[in-house]
Amino acid sequence: MTSPNTIEARGLGRDYGVTRALEGLDLSVEAGSLVGILGPNGAGKTTALLMLATLLRPTRGSARVMGCDLISEASAIRRRLGLVFQEATIDGLLTVEENLRFAGRLAGLDGYSVKHAVNEVVQRIGLGPLRQRRASQLSGGWRRLTDIARATLHRPALLLLDEPTVGLDPEHRERMWSVLDAERRERGITVLFSTHYMAEAESADRVLLLSKGAVVEEGAPADLQRGVGVAVAEFEGPAGAAIEAALVREQLAATSMRTERGWRVGVREPQRVAQLVAEAPGGVTRFLLREATLEDVYFLRTR
Ligand code: ATP
């Protein structure tokens, strides 16, 4: 049966010699959704995206992307794909407009369509004032946004982005996400991106947490965060160990992690926890109650 999902991968894995870069990825990405692959350096994020982009042959497993088989129908997939990888692909010697026109021709658009598509994408991404500027003279942020313009010019159905916000300042990061949001809202494009900034993935529909080539957790960010606890208590100091033991004993701890300096406990009833900490003999040097984050989920699953 053909799945309506944009991506259906089963056991997709890759070895580089004896290095197991990716164990076996099971992934279903619904059309129009925003899905994040999270993990630290070396987790296997780039390997997963390169395989789904048909640029790296899997060692094992299979996948269908936009209904096509990853191996036997790779060229059909490529035509409907937009890629933004870590290295900028625009040519520094060409202007922004020349880069975009060139990308349009490479994507197989005719002269009229290229002109129309370039005008549209320049407008959409706000590249108007930089149109005649040489790409080598752009700031890192605008280079990355030009890269996104290049990748979306031919109106792909699926956009794959590998750590698209690395090195961007908050303003360009914000602009990049709003461009991607608009792409999804207005054209229903599916977006799969990787990042090692956990907070950035909190607005995704679903996230996959990768560690050492294996998926350690998967789901909607809010569900994963709820799994940590209603809130997270961070504390350190002389009474730390006794407080942690009391939270477990009183069944106030949903999850618990020892950190470098103290404890991070996912708790059930924040007010009772605050009271217990305030009354603990010996006291604490630091105490904080906050919402659970994806970073907590990640620490829990990988420590
Ligand atoms: P980063 O955030 O640093 O880009 P990543 O999560 O994208 O990391 P990958 O680049 O997919 O991780 O790498 C996964 C593992 O595969 C790492 O151990 C890496 O060293 C190894 N690896 C990646 N590419 C190659 C290669 N061409 N040859 C040998 N090993 C490789």
Side-chain angles (χ1 to χ4, degrees):
M1 197 181 81
T2 312
S3 160
N5 287 334
T6 302
I7 299 176
E8 272 300 344
R10 289 292 159 260
L12 201 64
R14 169 77 194 196
D15 301 335
Y16 293 103
V18 293
T19 307
R20 182 147 284 201
L22 193 64
E23 180 77 45
L25 181 70
D26 292 327
L27 174 66
S28 303
V29 175
E30 223 175 275
S33 62
L34 174 68
V35 176
I37 302 182
L38 275 70
N41 295 126
K45 305 182 296 295
T46 303
T47 301
L49 289 172
L50 281 172
M51 286 194 290
L52 293 169
T54 75
L55 298 175
L56 180 70
R57 219 180 157 89
T59 310
R60 59 192 153 271
S62 63
R64 294 191 79 77
V65 177
M66 296 177 282
C68 301
D69 180 76
L70 195 61
I71 309 293
S72 63
E73 295 170 295
S75 51
I77 294 175
R78 276 181 216 152
R79 277 197 292 277
R80 299 172 59 208
L81 202 61
L83 297 179
V84 178
F85 272 79
Q86 283 172 34
E87 301 76 28
T89 50
I90 52 172
D91 186 334
L93 292 175
L94 301 182
T95 63
V96 167
E97 177 163 352
E98 286 165 344
N99 265 292
L100 295 176
R101 282 214 310 261
F102 183 58
R105 295 314 286 252
L106 274 185
L109 302 182
D110 62 38
Y112 172 79
S113 309
V114 167
K115 200 170 160 193
H116 181 76
V118 169
N119 286 339
E120 188 274 332
V121 86
V122 160
Q123 167 90 23
R124 175 158 49 86
I125 297 193
L127 286 164
L130 303 170
R131 203 172 170 140
Q132 303 307 334
R133 185 85 62 88
R134 266 197 198 194
S136 59
Q137 295 168 356
L138 299 179
S139 67
W142 281 111
R143 251 201 309 274
R144 187 39 63 104
L145 285 160
T146 305
D147 238 352
I148 290 177
R150 180 199 52 76
T152 54
L153 184 79
H154 59 300
R155 307 202 156 196
L158 170 64
L159 190 57
L160 301 177
L161 306 110
D162 191 18
E163 300 189 20
T165 55
V166 164
L168 297 196
D169 63 25
E171 192 191 325
H172 286 96
R173 200 175 278 205
E174 180 68 28
R175 184 180 283 257
M176 198 210 74
W177 285 116
S178 77
V179 164
L180 295 181
D181 272 353
E183 284 288 304
R184 291 178 58 224
R185 233 183 9 256
E186 290 159 23
R187 299 202 214 160
I189 196 172
T190 308
V191 180
L192 177 64
F193 69 99
S194 74
T195 182
H196 53 244
Y197 302 130
M198 305 280 159
E200 194 162 78
E202 278 167 12
S203 58
D205 297 312
R206 280 183 42 247
V207 293
L208 254 85
L209 307 189
L210 279 187
S211 173
K212 297 182 189 138
V215 177
V216 291
E217 189 61 276
E218 186 187 351
D223 291 343
L224 298 183
Q225 285 161 231
R226 257 195 303 277
V228 174
V230 173
V232 170
E234 287 189 29
F235 49 88
E236 56 194 71
I243 291 170
E244 198 262 352
L247 292 177
V248 173
R249 196 175 52 243
E250 303 279 322
Q251 300 193 344
L252 289 171
T255 55
S256 178
M257 282 169 282
R258 183 83 168 93
T259 62
E260 295 285 320
R261 291 176 305 174
W263 282 264
R264 258 192 220 191
V265 180
V267 299
R268 295 205 172 89
E269 294 174 55
Q271 276 178 338
R272 275 186 66 199
V273 172
Q275 196 179 353
L276 192 146
V277 172
E279 290 167 359
V284 289
T285 51
R286 192 173 78 89
F287 172 60
L288 173 73
L289 262 179
R290 58 164 176 79
E291 282 184 5
T293 64
L294 279 178
E295 201 173 301
D296 296 318
V297 177
Y298 197 83
F299 274 120
L300 259 178
R301 295 295 170 255
T302 54
R303 284 200 159 196

